Structure formats: structure tokens, C-alpha cells
Amino acid sequence: MTTALITGGTSGIGLGFARRFAADGHDLILVARDQARLDRTAGELRDRHGVHADTISADLATPDGCAAVEKHIASTTVDILVNNAGHALAEPYPRSPLADEERMLDLLVRAPLRLTHAAIPGMTARGHGTILNIASVAGLLPAGTYGAAKAWLIHFSESLRLDLAPHGIRVLAVCPGFTHTDAPHIDTVPDWIWLTVDQVVDQAMKDLRRKKPRSIAGRHFKLYATAVHHAPRRLAARMARSRTPKD
């Protein structure tokens, strides 16, 4: 039986992947900060799907938190790694406090870098593995430090995909647009634009099977991504001035 380690696995898109992998019979390792919520989520998934579910309480925005998860990865078998933990900031750079900006970048960039580095040796030795990096369509535009971090994650994923394919390891950058999660709802965004977590997860699993480098759910966000890709950079920068989709 395979095991999936999911960061931010107690809510939003992370919980969506936890439910999907549990339903498919995978054991789980859920990582989040809130131990009580971890225990509750793991218990629900065990009871519903009969899988084994471990938990790790760790703050991945800190070196110690990353080290705790890396140690666990080194001591067990992780077949699937989902780098999902992350958040945006209420105010754009430079209006957000610098400490908050640094914490966000630690969570969105340094944590996936370190956990992926920890998981690759075992996957390579076994000749198989899957890495899902939860980015955002915000990473397709010049959209502040959040978008820059997600752009890094997209390019990191696509580079890894090429490097690790000979070792039987699949890598996918999942790029959601506006998605209904536990995050505060943005009232200025029309209802028809929003995705559900299941839409994001369903599309990601399809694109993983199809061996695509990126997964974008929703026709409107796929059109958005295509327009951004072909638009002149000056126009793309103007598009980014409007509120950018965040997972």
C-alpha cells in the first residue's frame, strides 16, 4: 500500500487531496500546525476509508518544522508528496510587514524545496513516486510576492519533472484559480468564477495520468492561462493589476 504525505492536509485543497487519496486506498501522513484538527481529520479518514493516517504537527514556515517533517520522510516510505501548505497576505508588497512577507516565502518556497529534497532519494531508490506542488494561476502573472513565489514553484516543478522522469517519478504543478476553501471569501469575485476543491483535485488527477506539466481546472481559468501566455508582457502586467486568483 502506498503512502501520501500532504502538507496543509486538514483544510482546503490539501484536505481535498487527503480525501481523494484515502478513498483510493492510500495511507496518509497529514502535516499541519493544529494537532487537535490533525487528530480529528485523521480519525475521520480512518473511519471512513479504513486507511492508516499518521499526523505531524509542524510549522513549515520554520526550519525546525521543516526538519521534523524531513526526519519523518527519511524514516518511512513516502510514495506521494503533496506540497500544499501556504497562504497569501492581506496587503500587497511593500505594505505588508516584512516579517510576514518572509514567513510567506519560507512557507511557499523554502518548505517545498526542503521536503522535496528529502523525498527524492527514497523515490529514486524505489523507482517510482509522485510530487504534486500546489501553485496558483497567480504564478502566471507578475502578481507581487505571492505570485512570484508561485511562479518559482511552477518552474521548480517543471524542471524536476524533466530531471526525475528517468527515475519513474512524476511531478505536477497544480495551478488553481479562485477556489472555495476555508480562506475568507472575496465578495467582489462573481460566483461563477469560483472552483470547488473537488474540481481542482479531479483535474489534477486527470492531468497527472496524462503526464502533463501543469494542471489548471475550469475552462475560464484555462482560457485565462492561455491569454496570459500569449499576451505581450506589458498587457500581462496590466492584467495583474486587478485582483489575481489565489488558491
Side-chain angles (χ1 to χ4, degrees):
M1 186 173 289
T2 56
T3 299
L5 187 149
I6 305 167
T7 68
T10 60
S11 64
I13 292 173
L15 179 57
F17 275 106
R19 288 171 172 163
R20 174 58 57 85
F21 286 127
D24 290 344
H26 300 283
D27 288 335
L28 302 173
I29 303 170
L30 303 179
V31 181
R33 290 180 296 174
D34 187 332
Q35 186 63 60
R37 193 168 187 177
L38 279 166
D39 292 342
R40 184 168 61 252
T41 302
E44 290 172 355
L45 293 171
R46 288 189 204 105
D47 293 344
R48 183 176 302 174
H49 301 290
V51 298
H52 186 76
D54 278 337
T55 66
I56 306 174
S57 176
D59 183 354
L60 294 178
T62 68
D64 288 347
C66 285
V69 180
E70 291 164 7
K71 182 178 180 180
H72 198 91
I73 291 172
S75 65
T76 190
T77 298
V78 173
D79 303 283
I80 303 166
L81 173 64
V82 183
N83 286 309
N84 165 76
H87 62 81
L89 297 176
E91 294 291 335
Y93 182 88
R95 293 203 293 272
S96 292
L98 184 58
D100 291 349
E101 291 280 359
E102 291 181 319
R103 180 177 175 82
M104 181 183 72
L105 290 177
D106 284 341
L107 190 57
L108 297 183
V109 174
R110 183 172 53 81
L113 178 75
R114 290 185 57 165
L115 300 192
T116 301
H117 190 271
I120 286 173
M123 291 181 178
T124 301
R126 291 186 294 273
H128 66 85
T130 299
I131 300 170
L132 300 177
N133 289 324
I134 312 305
S136 170
V137 294
L140 306 177
L141 281 171
T145 48
Y146 178 86
K150 293 298 189 178
W152 180 90
L153 193 56
I154 292 169
H155 290 291
F156 174 62
S157 302
E158 294 184 351
S159 176
L160 279 179
R161 176 176 172 269
L162 297 175
D163 293 340
L164 299 180
H167 303 284
I169 302 171
R170 301 178 296 175
V171 183
L172 178 68
V174 181
C175 303
F178 289 111
T179 305
H180 286 296
T181 64
D182 294 341
H185 189 81
I186 302 173
D187 294 333
T188 56
V189 179
D191 289 342
W192 65 268
I193 289 180
W194 291 84
L195 301 170
T196 66
V197 166
D198 286 343
Q199 284 178 289
V200 174
V201 173
D202 288 346
Q203 189 65 55
M205 299 308 292
K206 289 177 183 176
D207 290 334
L208 184 65
R209 290 192 296 269
R210 295 167 180 167
K211 299 181 180 181
K212 291 189 174 183
R214 301 179 185 180
S215 177
I216 300 174
R219 289 185 179 181
H220 51 305
F221 285 118
K222 290 178 181 178
L223 289 172
Y224 175 90
T226 300
V228 167
H229 178 73
H230 292 287
R233 296 312 295 168
R234 182 178 298 178
L235 178 58
R238 289 179 181 175
M239 294 171 67
R241 293 293 183 267
S242 59
R243 188 180 292 271
T244 308
K246 297 178 176 64
D247 54 303

